[in-house]
Amino acid sequence: MLTGRYPQRTGIVGVLRDHHDAIGLDLDERTIADQLSAAGYETALIREVAPGIPETYRPLQRGFAHAFGFLSGTIDYYTHLSRGGGRKGLPVLSRDGEPFESEGYFPDRLRRRGRALP
């Protein structure tokens, strides 16, 4: 959805797993957030999946002004630790590019954060 293209044409060849720590959405791809930002819109990504773990693939480098979620492929919804997709067993929550800690059921946190945006 970020590019409107098939994943295999954007550098994503499957579900991001532990051995995919260093890959992400091809840096030559323009995202919908890139397009909207260029048109003057303020963009936000509140998600359960990141376009890649390394800094260059993260939402704030891909056209989003705000981002809230986690950096790995999957997390435990209660402990908020990575279950796979990179950094397994480590905290991976990110808010506007900075790590943070949270309590509670994570899908509820995503919903509340979405409602808090202007």
Side-chain angles (χ1 to χ4, degrees), residues 102-105 107-117:
S102 180
E103 293 182 7
Y105 185 59
D108 288 342
R109 293 280 297 140
L110 290 172
R111 187 186 75 246
R112 287 194 305 269
R113 180 66 180 159
R115 289 182 181 167
L117 290 173

Side-chain angles (χ1 to χ4, degrees), residues 2 31-34 37 43-45 51 59-67:
L2 289 176
T31 67
I32 190 170
D34 290 323
S37 294
T43 57
L45 180 64
L60 298 183
Q61 281 70 44
R62 304 312 306 260
F64 291 96
H66 304 283

